[in-house]
Amino acid sequence: MSAATTAVLREMRWWDIEPVLELEHALFPDDAWSPGMFWSELAHARGPGATRHYVVAEEPATGRIVGYAGLAALGDLSDVQTIAVSREAWGTGLGSELLSDLLKAATAFECATVLLEVRVDNTRAQKLYERFGFEPIGFRRGYYQPGNIDALVMRLTLHEHTEQETGTE
């Protein structure tokens, strides 16, 4: 069975930060998030004023975290903060599952638009986002540090996304 069919998505909690950081450092060794960044995001993910949504993908048999994703919302705009899948789960559909979860959260936050930044050299992720209807709208020069790698900024309008999925206009 693939990781996508066996991994279970659930809310990220503080006790997930350590295993998420291990995966973060394995996937993004040069520009990994710090523990404080995750703590700060999770501080805004619960309660009536929540503006964040973070999930982990966990293998039920082992409890191992094989992916995670996060979204920030402000007004009618949301931003994919992070999305990652362990290398052994690449190609299983887990990235699509995580992104779908974030888009559902954006809808629940009543956001009309979802933005994200993706490394210009990460064509695998760009193709995933394009499959979901994200379109490139610009660049952020030197966004990923310390490597000074540019980010491609992409946007999805949720109303159009919903129309594409349902076939309505």
Side-chain angles (χ1 to χ4, degrees):
M1 284 195 142
S2 70
T5 58
T6 61
V8 175
L9 298 191
R10 63 169 176 77
E11 177 186 11
M12 184 187 291
R13 300 299 305 270
W14 65 265
W15 52 81
D16 296 314
I17 292 176
E18 187 176 323
V20 163
L21 282 170
E22 289 176 20
L23 186 52
E24 175 84 0
H25 285 282
L27 295 170
F28 313 110
D30 296 331
D31 52 7
W33 280 25
S34 69
M37 292 170 78
F38 281 106
W39 278 102
S40 178
E41 289 296 295
L42 290 183
H44 299 284
R46 301 197 91 203
T51 58
R52 304 293 192 273
H53 174 78
Y54 276 77
V55 294
V56 293
E58 182 179 63
E59 290 180 337
T62 64
R64 192 170 74 92
I65 303 294
V66 293
Y68 57 92
L71 179 92
L74 181 61
D76 68 347
L77 183 66
S78 59
D79 191 77
V80 173
Q81 301 286 45
T82 186
I83 185 166
V85 174
S86 65
R87 283 184 179 85
E88 56 271 14
W90 285 3
T92 65
L94 183 55
S96 293
E97 198 174 329
L98 287 164
L99 184 55
S100 291
D101 184 82
L102 295 185
L103 295 179
K104 287 177 191 167
T107 300
F109 280 126
E110 299 182 354
C111 296
T113 304
V114 181
L115 296 173
L116 61 81
E117 293 88 14
V118 58
R119 289 174 62 113
V120 294
D121 59 357
N122 190 346
T123 55
R124 173 185 286 277
Q126 290 172 33
K127 287 178 181 177
L128 169 66
Y129 302 138
E130 287 168 0
R131 282 196 311 271
F132 276 78
F134 282 85
E135 298 176 332
I137 60 169
F139 293 93
R140 294 188 186 210
R141 303 285 175 211
Y143 183 79
Y144 293 99
Q145 294 297 328
N148 204 35
I149 307 295
D150 295 344
L152 174 64
V153 181
M154 301 182 83
R155 175 181 60 206
L156 174 67
T157 303
L158 287 176
H159 180 67
E160 292 172 6
H161 180 68
T162 302
E163 289 173 355
Q164 288 173 359
E165 285 182 349
T166 61
T168 62
E169 301 196 278

